[in-house]
Amino acid sequence: MNEETKNTVDIDEALYRPIYETGKSFYFAVGFLLFIIGFTLVVYIRQVYYGLGVTGMNQPVTWGFYIVNFVFFVGISHAGTLISAILRLSKAEWRRPITRMAEVITAIVLAIGGLHPIIDLGRPDRVLNIFTAGRLQSPLLWDVTSITAYFTASTVYLYLPMIPDIAKLRDRGGKMVWFYEFLSWGWHGTEHQKKVLSRAINILMVMVIPIAISVHTVISYIFSMTLQPGWHSTIFGPYFVVGAIFSGIAALMIVMISFRKYFHLENYLKLVHFRHLGTLLLIMSLLWFYFTFSEYLTGVFGAEPHEMDVIFYKFTGTYAIFFWGMVVCNFLIPVVILAFKKFKTIPGILIASISVVIGMWLERLNIVIPSLANPRMGLDMGMYTPSFTEWTLFIGGLAVFVLGFLVFSKFFPIISIWEIEEGRKESVKEVEKRVTSYLPDPANSVE
Amino acid sequence: MKTINNELRDKIIFAAQLVSISLIWLLVIGIIFWISNLIYLSVDLKDSPGISIGISLVAIPVFITLASILTYVFVGFHREKKKHLNTDSGN
């Protein structure tokens, strides 16, 4: 172990501890999650065997939970890479303990979300048709392309900033040194290597922002490119992007609060981090309300009969409880909690975040189902009730997410150690220099 | 003996790293072939080939850039690693 590593071990031992110490609760949690995932797999195999008849989907509602969850999970993935890239780009110094967790969320959730359209296929083998007979003119294929690009970019963006930390684990010795040596790519922290890494991260963070925005815009196109009432809207692209960032920040804060509590990271994830992210969540809540209001006002003002059928289905009909539940969860609860400093405590922020995640899931439900349940072409109004299979696959998806995070935390630090070190060494000076550069020059002010 | 083992171990790890970096290029080449096939289909069926070409003009450079960044970092690190090892052995 070299001298520099030894020193950091003393200061940042709490960040290494989850990797080297494994409590009984970890094994219990992993076992429980594996049981859920195993059960989900059995239920899915049953669906493949019997066909989509085991789900609640039927005419006219042919898209149900799977597509709702697809949009929801891909939305959550915006927590990571996009927020991390924006915070890095804007040189927000408080980002340092947050970015790694945000990036991990993206990689795991995107993999889960991306699988949902395949789960939605009665014959999953037919997904291979996109290789031989896909139509690049279809928004569905735009999705495949943009999600693949986003997943690749996010994985690279997660991996590259992890290299110095992986090298630290390699230098510490202990279990699986060969694994860390393989992943560290010969990092020794020389000036040249630092320069190469910094240049690569800079290019990636600029590149990843348009990719992330394109992904959720393209997902909205699946709906808005059709002439379906409630879907055919030019606002859907930005509306989906705003919703994705909104739900992403909320999910990120739930993860941060959980790991803070579970791994005792109070010294790294302080109230100030949650307050800053809470302010961002509040802004996104207001933006979300603005988009929702604009979307429905345009529909109501136009009063096109088929459009009104969908709107009444949401406002006063079968989906009223989900629609108004969405408004309460996405607007009322977070705004009340986050607008007042008194409520902006960690428990308060946790409540607001959980509320937003539930609200955004309801929003996806409100977008997908009501438009299909009110067909225009000689079909009766439909009612969609998810079956046991769909609920199980949803819970299974959440279990994969938690398991993915737990396994990640067992092999890698969930807070970027080298960035924290860099912050300690350079941030104060750098911020001071930056602030000084904003201020008017004393000589000129006298003049 | 230990030195020989270490050298062999280093070589195996380096080979595995080379394979991993090759995989990203394999993915990129696969995607280029896939998109080209879809363009060919749309031209063949006279079904809006312009849109397919437009999307490929955006998608393909994105994947190439991502793979290039990874390769740049890999080569940059290993060139420096060699120097680092040479300096160590010189001392």
Side-chain angles (χ1 to χ4, degrees):
Chain A
M1 205 183 296
N2 63 36
E3 198 55 42
E4 196 190 346
T5 314
K6 260 186 197 169
N7 292 336
T8 57
V9 167
D10 297 333
I11 306 167
D12 295 318
E13 192 56 36
L15 300 179
Y16 290 102
R17 206 171 294 133
I19 301 166
Y20 294 102
E21 292 172 18
T22 313
K24 275 182 188 170
S25 57
F26 176 83
Y27 291 113
F28 177 76
V30 169
F32 180 66
L33 293 166
L34 282 175
F35 171 75
I36 296 176
I37 294 164
F39 183 69
T40 307
L41 206 62
V42 172
V43 171
Y44 175 65
I45 291 168
R46 185 174 161 268
Q47 177 190 298
V48 174
Y49 186 77
Y50 288 107
L52 286 178
V54 297
T55 68
M57 292 185 281
N58 207 332
Q59 288 295 346
V61 184
T62 48
W63 278 355
F65 255 33
Y66 299 146
I67 299 302
V68 170
N69 293 338
F70 161 64
V71 182
F72 171 72
F73 280 123
V74 176
I76 295 280
S77 76
H78 279 59
T81 309
L82 184 61
I83 293 166
S84 161
I86 292 170
L87 292 180
R88 273 185 213 271
L89 205 60
S90 59
K91 293 188 175 171
E93 283 301 326
W94 55 276
R95 74 177 192 270
R96 294 180 188 273
I98 297 170
T99 48
R100 174 77 48 82
M101 280 188 222
E103 290 152 13
V104 180
I105 291 180
T106 301
I108 299 173
V109 170
L110 206 53
I112 300 168
L115 281 177
H116 273 77
I118 302 172
I119 294 172
D120 191 52
L121 292 174
R123 288 265 311 272
D125 55 300
R126 286 187 177 167
V127 77
L128 297 173
N129 289 349
I130 61 169
F131 294 110
T132 51
R135 313 304 299 278
L136 215 49
Q137 304 88 320
S138 158
L140 293 172
L141 259 280
W142 304 351
D143 255 5
V144 174
T145 316
S146 64
I147 289 177
T148 312
Y150 189 41
F151 184 72
T152 314
S154 304
T155 315
V156 174
Y157 190 63
L158 166 69
Y159 172 60
L160 289 186
M162 263 171 53
I163 290 176
D165 283 352
I166 294 171
K168 281 178 193 296
L169 292 167
R170 175 200 63 195
D171 294 343
R172 276 176 72 113
K175 61 175 185 178
M176 295 174 75
V177 177
W178 60 269
F179 175 64
Y180 295 122
E181 198 165 342
F182 164 68
L183 288 176
S184 62
W185 277 8
W187 171 269
H188 287 281
T190 63
E191 280 311 309
H192 177 74
Q193 286 181 333
K194 282 181 185 169
K195 208 169 142 188
V196 168
L197 186 68
S198 161
R199 199 176 287 161
I201 293 174
N202 285 345
I203 297 170
L204 270 174
M205 73 186 173
V206 174
M207 210 179 144
V208 105
I209 294 172
I211 296 177
I213 290 173
S214 79
V215 170
H216 231 66
T217 309
V218 167
I219 285 178
S220 83
Y221 288 167
I222 298 176
F223 304 99
S224 63
M225 291 292 178
T226 65
L227 295 174
Q228 192 82 10
W231 286 357
H232 190 57
S233 161
T234 54
I235 212 174
F236 254 37
Y239 186 32
F240 268 52
V241 173
V242 164
I245 299 172
F246 186 34
S247 61
I249 297 171
L252 174 61
M253 285 207 281
I254 295 171
V255 168
M256 282 168 63
I257 293 171
S258 309
F259 275 95
R260 182 181 190 263
K261 176 96 181 147
Y262 187 64
F263 290 135
H264 307 289
L265 298 173
E266 291 83 356
N267 196 27
Y268 293 89
L269 300 168
K270 296 179 177 177
L271 182 61
V272 65
H273 297 108
F274 293 99
R275 288 218 161 130
H276 284 328
L277 280 174
T279 307
L280 263 179
L281 194 69
L282 175 65
I283 294 166
M284 296 316 294
S285 178
L286 297 170
L287 259 177
W288 174 86
F289 184 78
Y290 164 68
F291 272 99
T292 308
F293 181 75
S294 301
E295 168 66 10
Y296 287 99
L297 180 70
T298 318
V300 170
F301 199 81
E304 197 274 321
H306 294 298
E307 188 84 27
M308 290 310 287
D309 287 344
V310 176
I311 289 174
F312 280 127
Y313 191 78
K314 293 182 191 179
F315 282 10
T316 55
T318 318
Y319 261 59
I321 186 163
F322 302 123
F323 181 83
W324 296 112
M326 168 190 86
V327 175
V328 170
C329 288
N330 279 347
F331 184 67
L332 284 183
I333 295 175
V335 167
V336 168
I337 291 176
L338 300 170
F340 300 99
K341 208 175 175 183
K342 191 168 69 171
F343 301 132
K344 226 173 161 183
T345 57
I346 289 181
I349 290 171
L350 179 65
I351 294 168
S353 303
I354 293 172
S355 166
V356 169
V357 169
I358 295 170
M360 281 311 296
W361 185 82
L362 288 173
E363 195 221 39
R364 307 319 190 188
L365 189 78
N366 274 304
I367 287 172
V368 177
I369 314 295
S371 290
L372 292 169
N374 291 275
R376 284 178 295 178
M377 296 171 69
L379 284 166
D380 292 331
M381 188 197 280
M383 179 64 197
Y384 167 71
T385 313
S387 70
F388 171 77
T389 304
E390 286 154 295
W391 276 112
T392 309
L393 263 71
F394 179 37
I395 294 165
L398 296 176
V400 171
F401 172 66
V402 180
L403 181 70
F405 237 109
L406 279 180
V407 171
F408 181 88
S409 69
K410 209 64 227 127
F411 290 98
F412 306 105
I414 48 165
I415 289 179
S416 177
I417 299 172
W418 73 273
E419 283 188 88
I420 295 279
E421 280 172 25
E422 189 189 66
R424 280 201 196 101
K425 277 184 200 161
E426 294 161 20
S427 278
V428 179
K429 274 185 220 158
E430 199 206 302
V431 171
E432 195 183 340
K433 202 173 152 190
R434 209 189 311 155
V435 172
T436 313
S437 74
Y438 303 151
L439 296 170
D441 188 35
N444 289 342
S445 352
V446 173
E447 282 170 24
Chain B
M1 185 69 186
K2 203 177 175 186
T3 322
I4 296 168
N5 281 345
N6 276 345
E7 268 177 27
L8 183 69
R9 188 170 159 273
D10 284 352
K11 274 182 186 167
I12 293 171
I13 287 176
F14 182 68
Q17 286 169 343
L18 267 182
V19 170
S20 70
I21 200 75
S22 311
L23 285 177
I24 185 86
W25 281 106
L26 203 67
L27 172 79
V28 173
I29 292 165
I31 285 170
I32 292 171
F33 269 110
W34 173 56
I35 290 178
S36 307
N37 178 42
L38 298 186
I39 292 172
Y40 170 76
L41 264 178
S42 65
V43 172
D44 196 35
L45 298 169
K46 296 189 179 68
D47 190 4
S48 320
I51 294 175
S52 304
I53 293 165
I55 290 165
S56 69
L57 286 177
V58 180
I60 293 173
V62 167
F63 285 103
I64 291 175
T65 313
L66 287 171
S68 304
I69 291 172
L70 266 181
T71 313
Y72 166 70
V73 174
F74 182 78
V75 173
F77 282 9
H78 276 277
R79 196 173 284 167
E80 196 64 9
K81 188 191 167 189
K82 266 187 190 169
K83 267 189 207 169
H84 189 80
L85 288 176
N86 289 342
T87 320
D88 279 357
S89 57
N91 290 338

